[in-house]
């Protein structure tokens, strides 16, 4: 519920502080006094799109603050929590607009975006007027209004969930089909490539090992002669014989030398051992160089085959094994593809059946709710002096989507036999006002805590019809706070709280102010609305009669 509205330096308002209450709140005043400015200011702080230039001429900035009282289950609490904002029983919205057009907003003293403001406004305030495209006149929202009337929240969730499952199953099937088609397009290549790789069976590191072995065998003939000479120089007819002779001679002279030859003899002993190791190593090298010429041919053939496959598939030789595994996996998918497609096709068909079942169920429910809404509208239109008018909720097939397969729209005919059409195309100003009011009365259930604003919705009606409109607004105010901007004395007389909007000249400036009316002031204001500028005793008497009910 809106409890306070503070406006500073906006349009022709320098400073205005209003306190609203529960029930039916009426705002009256002469044309041009500034009643619409209050709605512009409220729309500004709620983040609605409106006038571009709102700051009062001569001011550096303008500011609007709105205070709302939130019940324990008010939906605005969920919006606040989701946005990470403080949640309390009192909600304070504040928005600043500079003369240059920069806008800044706060919610409970936290900076927020216009998007957050608009999300909150959807739960706080609903505006209705003869030219309002945000609410009941917008055909794109009629089906949602019908769903709210029918209380189809759970059904719509079921349709959304099954729609998401269907989309997911369809996407999985499409991806599988595309993947299988791609595999089929390269099946010949896959099978040939896997056959080549399976025949060769390359191992990681094999390329380097074969290359080393090939180079060694190619060099064997060139280095064998030098290694043989070295082996002869080290063997029994070479260095080994000379070292053995030297050892024998020194050992024979060691005694008389009295230890002077012990060191040389030990060194020669080590040299003999090292010489033996060298000879064994050289002999081993000679043995390794012995090869069958056919072996070199086999090594080269395998090495060249590995490198040729690596170039062909643009991979490193050591990666051929992993590449082959990847090709085999794609072949396995290809071979198993038909079975996977059958399974995915079955899943998609089942998802389609679940969605269709949920959507058809919602369609039947919508048609039943449409019948109930039409009956409720007929009951509401009769007291509004429109008992001959016909209101119809039309349910038609629409493109399949997450909210079902239906389109919904409200159609009216002002008289039996007259062509039906959209609300804002068929009804006159006064008729449209009454249609909108009756529709709002029927759709209000479950909106406790929301402030409903009616901007001159009684335009074009008078007398008993205006009284009926006022009584319907008063009934509506029993379930929700209602603010009405009105020129109808019958409607104003039924208000629980009454304000008059006035325009005054102060120097060169025109300012608008709002005055709360006590009982005597209400009599005069309603008398003015009845008789015009000159208030007569007869007009005051008529005003008292209206206020008495």
């Amino acid at each position: 519920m809106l409890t306070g509205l503070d406006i500073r330096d906006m349009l022709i308002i320098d400073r205005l502080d209003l306190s609203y209450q529960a029930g039916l709140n009426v705002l009256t005043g002469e044309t041009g006094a500034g009643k619409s400015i209050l709605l512009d200011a409220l729309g500004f702080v709620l983040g609605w799109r409106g006038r571009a230039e709102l700051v009062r001429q001569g001011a550096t900035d303008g500011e609007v603050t709105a205070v709302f009282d939130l019940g324990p289950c008010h939906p605005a609490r969920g919006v606040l929590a989701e946005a990470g904002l403080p949640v309390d029983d009192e909600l304070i919205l504040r928005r600043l607009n500079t003369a240059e057009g920069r806008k800044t907003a706060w919610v409970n003293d936290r900076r927020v975006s216009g998007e957050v403001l608009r999300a909150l406004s959807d739960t706080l305030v609903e505006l209705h007027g003869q030219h309002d495209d945000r609410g009941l006149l917008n055909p794109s929202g009629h089906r949602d209004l019908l769903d709210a009337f029918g209380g189809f929240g759970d059904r719509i969730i079921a349709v959304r969930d099954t729609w998401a499952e269907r989309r997911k199953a369809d996407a999985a099937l499409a991806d599988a089909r595309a993947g299988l088609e791609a595999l089929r397009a390269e099946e010949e290549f896959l099978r040939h490539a896997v056959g080549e790789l399976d025949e060769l069976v390359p191992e990681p590191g094999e390329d380097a090992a074969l290359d080393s072995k090939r180079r060694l065998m190619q060099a064997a003939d060139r280095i064998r002669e030098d290694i043989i000479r070295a082996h002869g120089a080290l063997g029994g007819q070479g260095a080994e014989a000379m070292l053995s002779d030297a050892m024998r001679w020194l050992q024979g002279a060691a005694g008389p030398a009295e230890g002077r030859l012990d060191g040389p003899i030990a060194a020669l002993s080590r040299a003999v051992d090292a010489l033996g190791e060298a000879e064994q190593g050289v002999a081993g090298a000679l043995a390794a160089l012995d090869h069958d010429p056919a072996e070199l041919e086999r090594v080269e053939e395998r090495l060249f085959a590995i490198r040729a496959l690596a170039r062909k598939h643009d991979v490193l030789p050591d990666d051929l094994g992993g590449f082959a595994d990847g090709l085999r996996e794609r072949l396995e998918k290809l071979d198993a593809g038909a079975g996977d497609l059958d399974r995915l096709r079955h899943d998609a068909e089942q998802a389609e059946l679940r969605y269709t079942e949920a959507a058809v169920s919602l369609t039947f429910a919508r048609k039943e709710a449409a019948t109930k809404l039409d009956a409720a509208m007929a009951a509401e239109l009769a007291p509004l002096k429109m008992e001959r008018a016909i209101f119809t909720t039309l349910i038609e097939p629409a493109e399949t989507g997450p909210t079902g397969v239906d389109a919904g729209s409200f159609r009216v005919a002002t008289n039996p036999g007259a062509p039906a059409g959209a609300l804002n195309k068929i009804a006159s100003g006064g008729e449209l006002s009454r249609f909108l009011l009756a529709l709002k009365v029927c759709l209000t259930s479950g909106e406790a805590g929301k402030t409903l604003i009616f901007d001159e919705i009684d335009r074009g009606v008078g007398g008993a019809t205006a009284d009926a409109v006022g009584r319907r607004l008063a009934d509506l105010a029993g379930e929700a706070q209602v603010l009405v901007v009105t020129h109808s004395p019958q409607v104003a007389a039924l208000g629980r709280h009454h304000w008059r909007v006035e325009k005054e000249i102060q120097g060169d400036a025109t300012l608008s102010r709002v005055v709360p009316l006590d009982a005597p002031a209400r009599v005069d204001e309603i008398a003015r609305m009845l008789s015009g500028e000159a208030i007569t005793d007869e007009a005051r008497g008529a005003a008292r009669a209206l206020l008495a009910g």
Side-chain angles (χ1 to χ4, degrees):
M1 182 180 73
L2 177 65
T3 60
L5 184 65
D6 181 84
I7 306 171
R8 178 177 61 81
D9 290 329
M10 298 290 281
L11 295 172
I12 60 172
I13 297 175
D14 58 348
R15 186 62 187 259
L16 185 61
D17 189 3
L18 295 175
S19 296
Y20 292 101
Q21 300 179 51
L24 181 60
N25 299 260
V26 296
L27 285 86
T28 61
E30 295 183 0
T31 300
K35 298 185 294 297
S36 63
I37 295 175
L38 296 178
L39 300 184
D40 289 335
L42 180 59
F44 170 73
V45 77
L46 291 169
W48 296 350
R49 292 179 176 84
R51 298 189 189 184
E53 298 178 358
L54 288 171
V55 179
R56 187 171 65 86
Q57 186 175 3
T60 58
D61 55 55
E63 184 180 78
V64 181
T65 302
V67 182
F68 291 86
D69 179 45
L70 302 183
C73 298
H74 199 288
R77 293 178 178 268
V79 177
L80 292 170
E82 184 175 351
L85 297 169
V87 181
D88 204 343
D89 292 341
E90 186 177 69
L91 173 63
I92 301 175
L93 310 182
R94 182 164 65 93
R95 200 177 189 203
L96 182 74
N97 193 20
T98 67
E100 295 77 20
R102 294 191 301 274
K103 299 176 178 61
T104 311
W106 293 264
V107 172
N108 289 347
D109 288 330
R110 298 280 186 89
R111 283 281 298 271
V112 299
S113 65
E115 182 180 356
V116 172
L117 283 182
R118 287 186 287 275
L120 284 169
S121 76
D122 289 341
T123 69
L124 295 169
V125 173
E126 192 171 300
L127 173 65
H128 298 288
Q130 293 187 25
H131 306 290
D132 171 37
D133 61 359
R134 290 171 48 89
L136 303 180
L137 292 183
N138 186 355
S140 65
H142 288 176
R143 190 193 60 189
D144 293 338
L145 292 172
L146 176 66
D147 289 344
F149 174 77
F152 298 146
D154 291 342
R155 290 178 182 269
I156 292 173
I157 289 173
V159 171
R160 288 186 186 278
D161 289 346
T162 55
W163 169 258
E165 291 172 4
R166 173 187 166 183
R167 290 283 299 272
K168 183 178 179 181
D170 287 345
L173 178 59
D175 288 346
R177 282 174 173 162
L180 188 58
E181 288 301 318
L183 290 173
R184 284 173 177 164
E186 59 176 352
E187 180 178 4
E188 183 178 351
F189 160 75
L190 289 174
R191 297 197 184 281
H192 177 71
V194 169
E196 284 185 324
L197 290 163
D198 286 346
E199 182 179 354
L200 191 62
V201 194
E203 298 290 338
E206 187 178 4
D207 175 79
L210 289 173
D211 184 63
S212 176
K213 187 175 182 180
R214 171 176 172 260
R215 286 187 284 106
L216 181 61
M217 287 191 290
Q218 286 176 333
D221 292 339
R222 179 170 49 80
I223 65 175
R224 176 186 295 279
E225 186 176 345
D226 290 338
I227 297 175
I228 290 174
R229 288 195 189 99
H231 186 262
L234 295 174
Q237 303 301 318
E240 184 180 355
M242 294 174 67
L243 286 178
S244 297
D245 289 343
M247 282 281 292
R248 188 174 65 255
W249 295 333
L250 289 177
Q251 286 174 347
E258 296 183 353
R260 290 181 177 86
L261 295 176
D262 291 347
I265 291 170
L268 282 173
S269 178
R270 293 194 297 273
V272 170
D273 291 338
L275 188 63
E277 292 178 5
E279 183 186 11
Q280 290 178 2
V282 172
L286 280 173
L289 291 175
D290 288 334
H291 65 273
D292 181 359
E295 176 65 15
L296 174 59
E297 184 177 350
R298 288 191 294 270
V299 168
E300 287 183 331
E301 286 179 354
R302 183 164 181 82
L303 178 63
F304 295 157
I306 289 174
R307 290 181 174 176
L309 275 182
R311 288 193 301 272
K312 179 179 180 179
H313 298 298
D314 195 23
V315 298
L316 295 174
D318 285 350
D319 294 338
L320 281 173
F323 178 72
D325 290 340
L327 295 182
R328 291 189 197 95
E329 183 178 347
R330 289 157 71 181
L331 272 180
E332 290 172 0
K333 288 183 178 179
L334 177 60
D335 294 337
D340 289 341
L341 277 183
D342 287 341
R343 176 180 57 80
L344 291 172
R345 190 179 296 108
H346 177 266
D347 291 345
E349 290 171 353
Q350 292 301 308
E352 169 75 18
L353 288 174
R354 288 191 294 272
Y355 170 78
T356 301
E357 181 180 354
V360 168
S361 175
L362 181 57
T363 297
F364 283 133
R366 281 170 172 161
K367 289 180 177 179
E368 290 180 357
T371 300
K372 292 178 181 178
L373 178 58
D374 295 347
M377 281 292 291
E380 286 296 328
L381 288 171
L384 295 174
K385 312 304 179 184
M386 295 188 69
E387 59 276 358
R388 295 175 60 82
I390 299 173
F391 176 93
T392 305
T393 306
L394 189 62
I395 303 296
E396 297 177 299
E399 184 178 352
T400 300
T403 55
V405 295
D406 313 308
S409 61
F410 300 144
R411 315 285 287 180
V412 298
T414 54
N415 290 290
L423 275 172
N424 55 346
K425 301 294 184 181
I426 296 297
S428 65
E431 291 170 335
L432 179 59
S433 298
R434 285 175 280 170
F435 270 121
L436 291 178
L437 179 57
L439 187 55
K440 191 59 207 173
V441 169
C442 293
L443 297 174
T444 298
S445 178
E447 291 188 345
K450 181 178 283 192
T451 297
L452 305 178
I453 301 175
F454 293 90
D455 183 15
E456 299 187 10
I457 199 169
D458 52 3
R459 180 182 297 175
V461 299
T465 302
D467 180 70
V469 169
R471 294 188 184 281
R472 280 296 173 271
L473 287 169
D475 291 343
L476 199 58
E479 298 183 16
Q481 182 188 43
V482 176
L483 274 63
V484 180
V485 177
T486 181
H487 286 287
S488 168
Q490 290 88 349
V491 174
L494 291 168
R496 183 182 298 179
H497 315 287
H498 192 162
W499 289 266
R500 181 176 64 242
V501 183
E502 302 176 348
K503 185 167 63 176
E504 60 182 14
I505 307 297
Q506 294 185 2
D508 295 333
T510 300
L511 299 177
S512 181
R513 65 192 185 100
V514 179
V515 179
L517 302 182
D518 56 15
R522 288 192 73 188
V523 171
D524 285 349
E525 174 63 7
I526 293 174
R528 179 198 65 78
M529 298 172 72
L530 286 167
S531 63
E533 185 175 352
I535 302 176
T536 64
D537 290 339
E538 290 79 3
R540 285 191 177 91
R544 292 189 186 94
L546 282 177
L547 287 168

